[in-house]
Amino acid sequence: MRSGRRLRVLLVVALVGSGVSAGGAAAFEVAAAPDLQCVRLAQEIAPPVQPTVPAGAFGISSPFTSRALWVDPRSQAAVAAHQLPTSTDPSTARRIRQIAAVPTAGWLTSPDVQGSRAQAGRILQEAAGAGRTAVLVAYVIPLRDCAAGESAGGVRSGSAYQQWISGLIAVIAAIPQSRRSVAVILEPDALSALDDLPADRQAERLALLRWAADRLDRIAGVGVYLDAGHSDWVPSSVMADRLAQAGIGKARGFALNVSNFRSTADLLAYGQALSGQVGWKRFVVDTSRNGAGPAPDGAWCNPPGRALGAAPSTSAHGQLDALLWIKPPGESDGACAPGQPPAGQFSVALADDLARTAGW
């Protein structure tokens, strides 16, 4: 995934005979055109759908009020810590074990309904059995990350997305209500990168998010957070409009900084401003890799010199519901440099770099 900054295209026009001094110029912001790669991919998948959202009750309760966060003993970091060779530097081994002991989100990225249901079911059952809150990331929207490519994929149609979400709902609903406590981060980058898509696919994406947010948040014990990018990507007024169209009224709130590096202070300010524009909805912030802030050049794909951020905390403050480690540290953003693994694959080197920079 990208979680990068949207570039603005500026048209500079020399003003001759217009009263502007010699050499003067005016800069006009040009509306971004759909990404050509997204347009091509959109033509290859099923036509857009417009799912309807029925009227009815929905929940807005916090999933973080009464339980600690689930630490997955089978996370990629935990598996790597267990499998480290004896020749591994003891300090590195210690840092990887420490990372594995911090609660992180479980990412559901496969378009395969049965495989995703099995993965989600295992996490939810183990979390419920331990009396903990599970954090899941749904990341399979059609035309996912189509422009950047590192995490390109998702399901192949809107109807397939509805089937996928319905499968996730069935797994969540199978957990007894008294033991059910789940936060769902819905589709990182989907709204921030909306204008990469052709107009009909933008409308479909918004409709799918509305439908998913409504259906998921109807389940007792579930809090849905629509992804809203970060503080240096989309202006809050623009994101507020997108969130409204994507069904923020039927969700607990929104998520910020997923897989990115913006500072917590900037994100809290942006989150409070955005919350005020969407009915004072709550929000969560990903602090997994923001301990040193963003890279000086704004790089988003495994930039060196970044650091682990503040530990997850469910102590509410203002409109903030929680600080979370949504992007598991050490899981690659993509094979963007020689020797780096594909997106989503754990790397001891990447994890250790984040921990060492943070002083672990």
Side-chain angles (χ1 to χ4, degrees):
M1 64 180 295
R2 274 166 288 170
S3 287
R5 181 181 181 180
R6 165 71 56 224
L7 297 178
R8 293 187 176 93
V9 181
L10 297 180
L11 175 64
V12 179
V13 182
L15 301 180
V16 180
S18 61
V20 179
S21 61
F28 300 92
E29 186 167 338
V30 178
D35 186 274
L36 294 179
Q37 173 75 351
C38 276
V39 172
R40 182 184 65 78
L41 290 172
Q43 294 169 345
E44 296 177 357
I45 68 174
V49 299
Q50 290 288 320
T52 57
V53 177
F58 57 94
I60 56 172
S61 60
S62 171
F64 303 115
T65 54
S66 60
R67 305 187 188 193
L69 296 170
W70 170 239
V71 178
D72 188 353
R74 305 188 211 179
S75 69
Q76 290 194 74
V79 172
H82 180 71
Q83 295 179 343
L84 283 174
T86 56
S87 59
T88 302
D89 177 75
S91 296
T92 294
R94 171 183 55 80
R95 286 188 287 264
I96 300 303
R97 288 194 299 269
Q98 287 178 311
I99 288 174
V102 178
T104 56
W107 284 63
L108 308 175
T109 63
S110 171
D112 176 63
V113 174
Q114 294 306 316
S116 293
R117 286 186 61 167
Q119 179 188 359
R122 193 269 302 171
I123 292 172
L124 292 170
Q125 289 168 13
E126 293 182 4
R132 301 295 183 98
T133 295
V135 180
L136 297 176
V137 180
Y139 190 45
V140 294
I141 198 86
L143 297 171
R144 181 187 73 196
D145 205 25
C146 56
E150 292 294 342
S151 297
V155 297
R156 295 283 295 175
S157 68
S159 59
Y161 186 71
Q162 290 180 280
Q163 293 173 6
W164 191 96
I165 290 290
S166 295
L168 176 60
I169 289 170
V171 170
I172 296 174
I175 303 296
Q177 182 174 334
S178 62
R179 299 164 54 203
R180 188 189 305 143
S181 182
V182 188
V184 178
I185 312 301
L186 196 57
E187 301 300 341
D189 291 358
L191 290 177
S192 298
L194 187 67
D195 52 13
D196 281 344
L197 303 175
D200 58 345
R201 293 296 181 180
Q202 291 186 28
E204 177 189 50
R205 175 167 290 185
L206 292 167
L208 289 172
L209 291 171
R210 281 196 304 273
W211 183 88
D214 173 85
R215 294 305 179 93
L216 284 163
D217 213 57
R218 287 171 183 262
I219 310 170
V222 176
V224 178
Y225 298 85
L226 287 157
D227 184 76
H230 59 70
S231 54
D232 196 43
W233 196 347
V234 176
S236 64
S237 59
V238 176
M239 182 52 70
D241 180 65
R242 294 181 184 183
L243 284 170
Q245 294 182 71
I248 189 67
K250 299 293 182 75
R252 170 71 182 175
F254 55 91
L256 296 177
N257 204 47
V258 175
S259 297
N260 210 262
F261 309 90
R262 311 310 303 183
S263 74
T264 301
D266 286 351
L267 294 161
L268 292 177
Y270 180 82
Q272 286 294 122
L274 182 54
S275 176
Q277 297 172 75
V278 293
W280 297 108
K281 286 290 184 175
R282 312 288 295 187
F283 65 95
V284 296
V285 170
D286 185 356
T287 60
S288 62
R289 305 187 298 175
N290 74 346
D297 61 356
W300 60 268
C301 192
N302 302 329
R306 302 308 91 207
L308 301 174
S313 170
T314 56
S315 298
H317 176 72
Q319 297 309 111
L320 176 73
D321 264 352
L323 303 177
L324 302 173
W325 280 17
I326 299 174
K327 172 71 172 183
E331 293 189 13
S332 177
D333 295 317
C336 37
Q340 292 182 349
Q345 184 173 318
F346 186 82
S347 163
V348 169
L350 292 174
D352 194 40
D353 181 60
L354 291 165
R356 280 187 293 102
T357 307
W360 284 34

